[in-house]
Amino acid sequence: MDNRLVLLTALLVMLSWMSVGTYAATNGTAGTNGTSGTNGTSVTNGTAPPITPNTTVTELMTPINRADCGIGELCATQPSDCDPSTSSSCFFLAAKQSSGRNFDIGLSGESDGYLAATLSLDSELGGNDTTYVCANNNGVVKLFGTVLNNGKLTLRDLPVDSVKGKITGKKIQCTFSATVPAQRARASQVAIAISTGTFNSSTNALGDPITQLKSPLVDLANPNTTVTNETTTGTAAPAVTTAPPITTNSTVTELTTPINRADCGIGRLCAAQPSDCDPSTSSSCFFLAAKQSSGRNFEFGLSGESDGYLAGTLSLDNILGGNDTTYVCANNNGVVKFFGAVLDNGKLTLKDLPVDSVKGKITGKKIQCTFSATVPAQRARASQVAIAISTGTFNSSTNALGDPITHFKSSLVDLENANATVTNELSTTSHAITIQQSLTQALLFTVGVLGLTVL
Ligand SMILES: *[C@@H]1O[C@H](CO)[C@@H](O)[C@H](O)[C@H]1NC(C)=O
Ligand SMILES: *[C@@H]1O[C@H](CO)[C@@H](O)[C@H](O)[C@H]1NC(C)=O
Ligand SMILES: *[C@@H]1O[C@H](CO)[C@@H](O)[C@H](O)[C@H]1NC(C)=O
Ligand SMILES: *[C@@H]1O[C@H](CO)[C@@H](O)[C@H](O)[C@H]1NC(C)=O
Ligand SMILES: *[C@@H]1O[C@H](CO)[C@@H](O)[C@H](O)[C@H]1NC(C)=O
Ligand SMILES: *[C@@H]1O[C@H](CO)[C@@H](O)[C@H](O)[C@H]1NC(C)=O
Ligand SMILES: *[C@@H]1O[C@H](CO)[C@@H](O)[C@H](O)[C@H]1NC(C)=O
Ligand SMILES: *[C@@H]1O[C@H](CO)[C@@H](O)[C@H](O)[C@H]1NC(C)=O
Ligand SMILES: *[C@@H]1O[C@H](CO)[C@@H](O)[C@H](O)[C@H]1NC(C)=O
Ligand SMILES: *[C@@H]1O[C@H](CO)[C@@H](O)[C@H](O)[C@H]1NC(C)=O
Ligand SMILES: *[C@@H]1O[C@H](CO)[C@@H](O)[C@H](O)[C@H]1NC(C)=O
Ligand SMILES: *[C@@H]1O[C@H](CO)[C@@H](O)[C@H](O)[C@H]1NC(C)=O
């Protein structure tokens, strides 16, 4: 075959790959839609519809046991490995995925009042965490949907049906089907808690829950997970490292080392527009670097040209706005002034943010600043954020920040992964694409252009 033919064929193959990539990418946007997942009642695409609440209880004929633990069912037990069908003091929860976010749940334990299971999306009990309560109502099980906040239970309709229950002495056993709350990032990462409390059957009053077991974040859909009190075996979610958050200190000292792109990809995550521009040498280069110091504490570098301010935004849901954390470095008559702000509806509102060690330098129109910050917590994964770089006007006499103009916006990336290549969604394509796909496409595109040059 003629060399040109080979190249042409290769090009055509590449182009078809690229279109497959683009197709897959548009398909992928449903999953990255941060807002749809936040609603506990919404359905994830491609899965079963949520359950309609029906708390009618029928009798549980088969006692709950640990037969399928690890081979079809996720089990949480306290003490570990106790069998709820034989042991009298055994707190036990089993979860088995039926479809999508619908799970069959079994709960067993001893209590004079109620036995409850809490599913927490952020590993901290409270903040209206979904809690299923099986109460001993004069010898029969009564199920309550509730949310846990500040150590108190509040009744709430939950998508639960097929409730079965049995009381044997102090032992409460119940099974039910439930549509579990949606995690923003991963469908089924939750912390599980089992608790007990008092129940007054004449008033339906639920006493404050006493936690008997609490797990770290686990994948509810993985039956191989075995959960014990604060520990797991099998495939558990990585423990979230927690360094203390930074205390706000916006004092700015002089930045003596210009920001550059050394260490990009080998210790620091970098976002740049144009991609690969070096902020230490290029005059038109919007640049943000992030390096994890500990837990959610990161060191940031921000560089770009602006007459007013330069800002970096971190969005947890991939959509700019909704009070996204924004770090603003403004040109205040030739010196950097730092502002913490939140971005909502295209406007910045000042807000104290956990930021310290701010350094800054103004050179002509170029604004460079570095700072340490405790980044906002993603519910599921500590560091998945979309990064944006923007500029706007700054009035140094009133401290007024003009509306930001976005120059760079990434898709959701893992801030902790220094190797992540962060590409600009704004300049490349109009549709949201994942990093891997954009990288593949960029590579293919480069090869394609080379091929054309040879032709
Ligand atoms: C998603 O991709 C699958 C397979 O690639 C395809 O069958 C399906 O129609 C796509 N859905 C959308 C909404 O593009
Ligand atoms: C993302 O969520 C918003 C708000 O719920 C909705 O309007 C939009 O259609 C969703 N997009 C996709 C691709 O699901
Ligand atoms: C959640 O869903 C409920 C019921 O469908 C709806 O009323 C509410 O507005 C939704 N909330 C959000 C934040 O989408
Ligand atoms: C998934 O979303 C696509 C596009 O929004 C829609 O066409 C399709 O019907 C949805 N699938 C299900 C099962 O809801
Ligand atoms: C819990 O829900 C109540 C009622 O919907 C609301 O007022 C409260 O702000 C919520 N608390 C949290 C921490 O989300
Ligand atoms: C509620 O559940 C009970 C028992 O599971 C069932 O007999 C009844 O028909 C259900 N009610 C509705 C409205 O579906
Ligand atoms: C249940 O509540 C009623 C009304 O507040 C009270 O009179 C009764 O003593 C309570 N019963 C128990 C067992 O606490
Ligand atoms: C669970 O374990 C079995 C056997 O060890 C394995 O084949 C399966 O892939 C595992 N499932 C998950 C979701 O890890
Ligand atoms: C479970 O773990 C928590 C935290 O480590 C601890 O406070 C609690 O006492 C433990 N519960 C039991 C029953 O061991
Ligand atoms: C942003 O924060 C303000 C003030 O706390 C609040 O009134 C507003 O509802 C928030 N907006 C969103 C989208 O969370
Ligand atoms: C704030 O930061 C400046 C410079 O980094 C430092 O000199 C000062 O001591 C800090 N203030 C407090 C209260 O820590
Ligand atoms: C980053 O790349 C280096 C070298 O290629 C590798 O050793 C390291 O494991 C990578 N880190 C991550 C988080 O992928």
Side-chain angles (χ1 to χ4, degrees), residues 112-425:
D112 289 321
Y114 68 79
L115 178 68
T118 300
L119 300 181
S120 167
L121 297 179
D122 58 5
S123 178
E124 275 157 39
L125 296 182
N128 290 341
D129 284 338
T130 296
T131 302
Y132 310 101
V133 177
C134 293
N136 178 342
N137 186 34
N138 302 319
V140 293
V141 166
K142 183 161 185 174
L143 185 126
F144 296 94
T146 69
V147 290
L148 175 66
N149 196 20
N150 275 328
K152 308 260 174 223
L153 294 175
T154 308
L155 295 183
R156 169 109 23 123
D157 264 358
L158 294 178
V160 170
D161 72 1
S162 311
V163 187
K164 296 196 171 78
K166 178 148 191 155
I167 310 278
T168 320
K170 290 176 79 168
K171 190 185 279 185
I172 299 175
Q173 292 206 322
C174 60
T175 63
F176 51 90
S177 299
T179 305
V180 303
Q183 186 58 277
R184 275 169 172 237
R186 293 184 58 180
S188 51
Q189 283 257 343
V190 293
I192 299 167
I194 303 178
S195 56
T196 54
T198 59
F199 176 63
N200 184 328
S201 56
S202 32
T203 61
N204 274 354
L206 301 167
D208 293 347
I210 297 154
T211 307
Q212 307 290 346
L213 173 149
K214 176 173 173 304
S215 79
L217 285 173
V218 296
D219 188 349
L220 207 55
N222 181 353
N224 295 0
T225 310
T226 307
V227 183
T228 54
N229 195 18
E230 292 289 8
T231 55
T232 55
T233 56
T235 3
V240 181
T241 331
T242 41
I246 288 167
T247 307
T248 307
N249 179 348
S250 306
T251 307
V252 180
T253 57
E254 200 190 341
L255 178 70
T256 46
T257 317
I259 295 172
N260 61 52
R261 61 174 300 119
D263 296 339
C264 282
I266 49 165
R268 297 199 295 183
L269 174 147
C270 296
Q273 175 59 34
S275 58
D276 298 331
C277 67
D278 187 336
S280 65
T281 54
S282 165
S283 64
S284 63
C285 174
F286 292 104
F287 182 87
L288 180 147
K291 180 182 182 154
Q292 188 178 28
S293 49
S294 170
R296 290 196 290 113
N297 294 349
F298 285 75
E299 287 162 25
F300 285 94
L302 195 54
S303 179
E305 295 210 330
S306 171
D307 289 320
Y309 69 81
L310 176 69
T313 298
L314 302 180
S315 168
L316 297 179
D317 60 2
N318 202 11
I319 298 163
L320 295 183
N323 292 342
D324 284 339
T325 295
T326 302
Y327 309 105
V328 180
C329 294
N331 179 344
N332 186 34
N333 300 320
V335 293
V336 166
K337 183 160 187 175
F338 182 88
F339 297 94
V342 290
L343 175 67
D344 192 21
N345 272 328
K347 308 261 174 221
L348 291 176
T349 308
L350 295 185
K351 184 180 178 196
D352 264 0
L353 295 176
V355 170
D356 72 1
S357 312
V358 187
K359 295 195 172 80
K361 179 153 187 151
I362 309 279
T363 319
K365 291 176 78 167
K366 189 185 281 184
I367 300 175
Q368 291 207 323
C369 60
T370 63
F371 51 90
S372 299
T374 305
V375 303
Q378 183 60 275
R379 277 170 165 240
R381 294 187 55 182
S383 51
Q384 281 259 346
V385 293
I387 297 168
I389 306 175
S390 56
T391 56
T393 58
F394 176 63
N395 182 331
S396 55
S397 28
T398 61
N399 275 354
L401 303 167
D403 292 348
I405 298 153
T406 309
H407 300 279
F408 179 99
K409 156 124 187 1
S410 75
S411 54
L412 284 174
V413 297
D414 188 350
L415 260 194
E416 283 175 23
N417 181 358
N419 297 359
T421 304
V422 187
T423 50
N424 194 354
E425 284 186 344

